[in-house]
Amino acid sequence: MAALRYAGLDDTDSEDELPPGWEQRTTKDGWVYYANHTEEKTQWEHPKTGKRKRIAGDLPYGWEQETDENGQMFFVDHINKRTTYLDPRLAFTVDDNPTKPTTRQRYDSSTTAMEILQGRDFSGKVVVVTGANSGIGFETAKTFALHGAHVILACRNMTRANEAVSRILGEWQQGAATTVFCAAAPELEGLGGMYFNSCCRCMPSTEAQSEDTARALWALSERLIQEGLGSPSG
């Protein structure tokens, strides 16, 4: 368990908790397997749930995968200057169990608009919603706004439109939930370089992953700080 804590994946009481003597490992191509040190054997299925899992996504920013002299993979965290044999992406594995085809629809009459867009990021998108001051239009506008979109409310009554905007802005406090989740969630301890929206890990936009943009923003931040420090206080 020391290795789990070292990589920010503390022991829990969940069904995914491994029995004593078991260890979770990954292959070079991203598959998760389990080592039973008591019986000295390995298997693909989780010893409790029977599920197969695989790694989702690339390594977090600042991490690198290496191989030691024995051919075993280990991971280098350049930001915190440490190494671990535990893949940091193990906190975000996905089930890979084959499922039978089903005709059951994914959403039904009880599904909310927020549930439809859970984990989606619409930053940089412009959404125009007609009749956005009430009913379906309002819920649509609110949901897209809370997921990062620039929303234009097309309404015939300006007063009601302003009231709708105020109601949507009143819900922006929910945005702090993601910040608090990332700061306090034990499964994220020691991990970094990942993007979260609505408490879910999301893939950042292409522009957000641009090294050139990152360097430009860093240079701009340095210049603004220097200008602020060099200017006389008012």
Side-chain angles (χ1 to χ4, degrees):
M1 289 305 166
L4 286 173
R5 296 191 184 94
Y6 186 74
L9 302 175
D10 284 342
D11 187 19
T12 69
D13 293 326
S14 71
E15 66 172 5
D16 287 328
E17 179 183 353
L18 292 172
W22 286 79
E23 181 186 358
Q24 188 173 222
R25 297 176 179 175
T26 55
T27 65
K28 289 185 178 180
D29 53 357
W31 293 97
V32 178
Y33 68 98
Y34 304 91
N36 184 343
H37 294 290
T38 303
E39 299 181 10
E40 297 184 348
K41 66 179 184 179
T42 61
Q43 63 186 55
W44 295 110
E45 295 78 15
H46 190 285
K48 280 189 176 180
T49 66
K51 297 178 180 179
R52 292 191 178 193
K53 293 180 177 290
R54 57 185 173 85
I55 295 297
D58 299 325
L59 286 169
Y61 177 78
W63 285 77
E64 184 180 5
Q65 179 179 302
E66 298 286 352
T67 305
D68 64 16
E69 61 275 10
N70 297 318
Q72 187 173 356
M73 289 190 310
F74 67 95
F75 301 88
V76 183
D77 179 0
H78 293 288
I79 296 177
N80 296 302
K81 302 185 185 311
R82 63 179 184 174
T83 60
T84 175
Y85 282 92
L86 197 67
D87 193 320
R89 297 168 295 178
L90 284 173
F92 306 101
T93 56
V94 295
D95 294 341
D96 200 72
N97 285 2
T99 57
K100 296 180 179 180
T102 175
T103 57
R104 184 178 182 274
Q105 62 187 42
R106 185 177 181 184
Y107 305 111
D108 55 31
S109 59
S110 64
T111 305
T112 66
M114 293 295 288
E115 291 171 341
I116 296 291
L117 296 187
Q118 182 177 0
R120 302 286 301 278
D121 180 21
F122 286 85
S123 299
K125 302 290 186 181
V126 177
V127 178
V128 180
V129 182
T130 58
N133 60 282
S134 63
I136 294 176
F138 174 77
E139 290 299 323
T140 300
K142 180 185 73 174
T143 302
F144 276 109
L146 294 178
H147 284 81
H150 176 80
V151 181
I152 299 175
L153 280 65
C155 306
R156 290 178 292 181
N157 187 303
M158 185 60 70
T159 300
R160 292 182 179 177
N162 289 331
E163 291 175 352
V165 170
S166 298
R167 289 163 59 193
I168 292 173
L169 293 177
E171 297 196 25
W172 274 111
Q173 60 182 336
Q174 188 276 339
T178 299
T179 302
V180 173
F181 169 75
C182 292
E187 64 266 30
L188 300 181
E189 183 179 350
L191 301 181
M194 292 172 286
Y195 173 65
F196 281 78
N197 184 37
S198 297
C199 299
C200 295
R201 187 187 181 189
C202 305
M203 287 299 295
S205 64
T206 302
E207 185 63 24
Q209 300 180 69
S210 169
E211 293 291 339
D212 292 337
T213 301
R215 284 191 289 268
L217 289 173
W218 183 264
L220 176 61
S221 299
E222 286 187 323
R223 180 172 63 81
L224 292 175
I225 292 174
Q226 291 171 359
E227 291 177 356
L229 294 175
S231 60
S233 59

